[in-house]
Amino acid sequence: MDQQKHRTDFAGETVYQLRSWTEIDCAGEAGWELECKPGERALLVVKEGGGRLRIDGDDCQLGRSGIGPIACRRLALKPDNGGRLRGFCLTLAELDVRGAVHTLVEEVPRRPGPWSGTLYERMRPLLDELAAVCRGPLPFRGGAAALRRGRLLYALLEELAAASSQREEAGSSDPIGDTIAYMERNYREDIPRERLARLAGLSPWHYSARFKQSTGLSPIAYLNGIRIRKARELLLRPHAGLKEIALETGYRDEFYFSRKFKTTVGVSPTVYVRKTPERLANLCFPYDGSMMALQLTPCVSIVDEGAPHRRDYFSRIPYPLTGQLLSERNMGQLERARPYLIICGDDQEYNRERLARIAPTLVLSWTGMGWREHLQQIGEATGREKEAERWLDAYDENAAEARLNVRRTAGNASCLAVALCEDKLIAYRSRNMGELLYRDLQMAQPFEAGSPTFIKRRIDLEQLLAWNADVLLLHVYGDSRSESWVARLERDERWQALKAVRERRVFRIDGAIWREYSAYSQQYMLQQAQRMLARI
């Protein structure tokens, strides 16, 4: 019978030997340090308190948890200000079955991330038992105590291996994605490749190879891209200083920052700020009205054929968007345009991260701001804040003059703006036509004193008759159903009973521009309303 057929050769297999156990108890300014020998790993457990852990010069925060096993040369632990930190540290050596110490530390996976609270609590009994048997003399060799320590050590390593395997099977372990997320959070700091490799649990060489395979860039080039993207956003702020931006984005000084920026973007930061603002994208239809007031034409915008007053403006947009805003076609247009800034409304807040990968993104609140604030914010973002201020000053002067003219002809007459869409009546009060009438022209309101305000509200003929304004501005949507309903409305006795109808003070206003809310539309409506109301 062949006695060799059941033989299994374990030559060259790695075994672990417990080398040291150190109790840690430090407070105040006093810290704790450990210098590892070649081939050793350190396993650190914090039982009480927290502090900053430095691993070969790289810092991370450590609370009541564990970390390791780590292949490193030096560990240093300092408690939080005024706090106390207690725990212990094990060192273990990797050997093959012949007893030779492994020294290829750079090829050993290293992951300094703290254990999760669940993992720490699960292993606490094992850790406490291991600590108890490790309070004997060093080195730990020989006898029953050594066998017990070895058994507990392997039980601990088995728990760690099982936890790592579970993370990988669950698909939650993404070392490259984890390091990218780390860059996004900590781009202001100096982040060497070795730190990222350690976070990924890979050697620096393998980490760089896997990172480039995943992203197409080296880790440092990718980090530089994050910093430059953040710098482009900061440069759009008014009165942004290069020194402050350099420090904010992780560069040591403004001169080095300027060189890296020009290499990446193609122009220096100062030229980037001064460059023509037309290379921007607008993803909120009403904000085009602010750009038209500032004589800006973005390279990307939403084109709506139902707005003939913008036809000339639309014809100059090289990358028009149509249909569903973030469709595949429109996103392709946006990427090809390569804008230096994207402006959108708060309805796209949930897409901000996706848009920010193309260009810095400015989100303006549609409901939380008025058209004046929209104009000012867009002016600041595009370097035209002075033009915005001059435009608003001119508008206010025109509004003051129009107010006097309307008061001479209309006196204290109350006025109401109503839109008719299919078979619905919609009254305006605090925005759009309502803001024009009651804020800019300061005309009397027909609403009951103390009644709740509204932007626009659907009403019926009874409500219209109850308000019974002296003057009525009637905006009719341009579809056939709305026009048909106007004809029926004019034959209704309740309509005919309105004071404005009886005194022929109903002014019909057509065109989609009356439904817009922007600097451009308000200026247009101010001019048209003044002409109409002068005929009263």
Side-chain angles (χ1 to χ4, degrees), residues 500-533:
V501 175
R502 288 186 281 106
E503 296 182 4
R504 299 181 181 275
R505 289 185 171 185
V506 177
F507 297 94
R508 176 159 170 168
I509 48 180
D510 295 320
I513 192 170
W514 288 91
R515 300 192 296 272
E516 289 183 17
Y517 184 65
S518 69
Y520 184 85
S521 64
Q522 293 298 117
Q523 182 185 54
Y524 173 85
M525 290 190 291
L526 178 67
Q527 295 168 347
Q528 297 301 313
Q530 181 181 193
R531 293 193 186 100
M532 286 186 292
L533 297 173

Side-chain angles (χ1 to χ4, degrees), residues 257-429:
F257 161 64
S258 294
R259 289 198 299 273
K260 296 297 288 184
F261 190 94
K262 186 171 183 179
T263 300
T264 305
V265 180
V267 295
S268 69
T270 51
V271 171
Y272 179 82
V273 172
R274 292 198 309 266
K275 68 187 290 191
T276 175
E278 277 76 2
R279 198 129 202 105
L280 60 92
N282 175 42
L283 304 187
C284 184
F285 185 81
Y287 298 160
D288 278 321
S290 294
M291 297 183 188
M292 293 168 74
L294 295 172
Q295 297 184 345
L296 283 170
T297 303
C299 62
V300 178
S301 191
I302 304 165
V303 172
D304 182 0
E305 296 301 329
H309 61 285
R310 298 190 184 194
R311 195 164 291 144
D312 180 60
Y313 172 80
F314 288 151
S315 69
R316 299 194 301 273
I317 295 174
Y319 298 94
L321 306 182
T322 57
Q324 186 179 352
L325 181 57
L326 296 185
S327 65
E328 185 176 343
R329 176 198 174 276
N330 285 347
M331 289 301 292
Q333 286 278 76
L334 193 58
E335 291 171 355
R336 283 189 291 274
R338 300 180 64 188
Y340 80 97
L341 173 67
I342 297 172
I343 297 176
C344 65
D346 45 10
D347 61 322
Q348 295 302 319
E349 179 69 46
Y350 68 99
N351 281 315
R352 185 173 191 161
E353 185 176 343
R354 181 183 180 189
L355 296 172
R357 288 196 288 266
I358 298 174
T361 301
L362 174 64
V363 178
L364 297 181
S365 173
W366 170 244
T367 56
M369 296 182 184
W371 66 266
R372 294 168 182 269
E373 290 80 15
H374 295 152
L375 182 73
Q376 290 170 326
Q377 291 284 318
I378 291 172
E380 287 182 10
T382 58
R384 299 202 176 192
E385 57 266 43
K386 291 183 179 178
E387 287 89 338
E389 289 175 11
R390 286 195 291 268
W391 197 97
L392 288 171
D393 289 341
Y395 180 89
D396 289 338
E397 289 179 10
N398 292 336
E401 183 180 350
R403 212 159 34 238
L404 292 174
N405 292 336
V406 169
R407 193 166 295 162
R408 278 195 293 266
T409 57
N412 293 322
S414 62
C415 188
L416 178 65
V418 176
L420 194 153
C421 177
E422 297 181 344
D423 60 350
K424 297 183 288 290
L425 278 174
I426 302 164
Y428 289 85
R429 184 168 183 178

Side-chain angles (χ1 to χ4, degrees), residues 221-272:
Y222 194 96
L223 175 61
N224 184 65
I226 292 173
R227 288 170 169 166
I228 294 300
R229 188 178 78 235
K230 299 294 183 181
R232 290 169 68 183
E233 294 179 7
L234 294 173
L235 283 166
L236 297 175
R237 295 180 182 175
H239 317 300
L242 291 185
K243 185 175 182 180
E244 291 75 17
I245 291 175
L247 295 176
E248 180 71 14
T249 51
Y251 294 102
R252 59 179 177 264
D253 58 59
E254 64 266 39
F255 306 108
Y256 180 68
F257 161 64
S258 294
R259 289 198 299 273
K260 296 297 288 184
F261 190 94
K262 186 171 183 179
T263 300
T264 305
V265 180
V267 295
S268 69
T270 51
V271 171
Y272 179 82

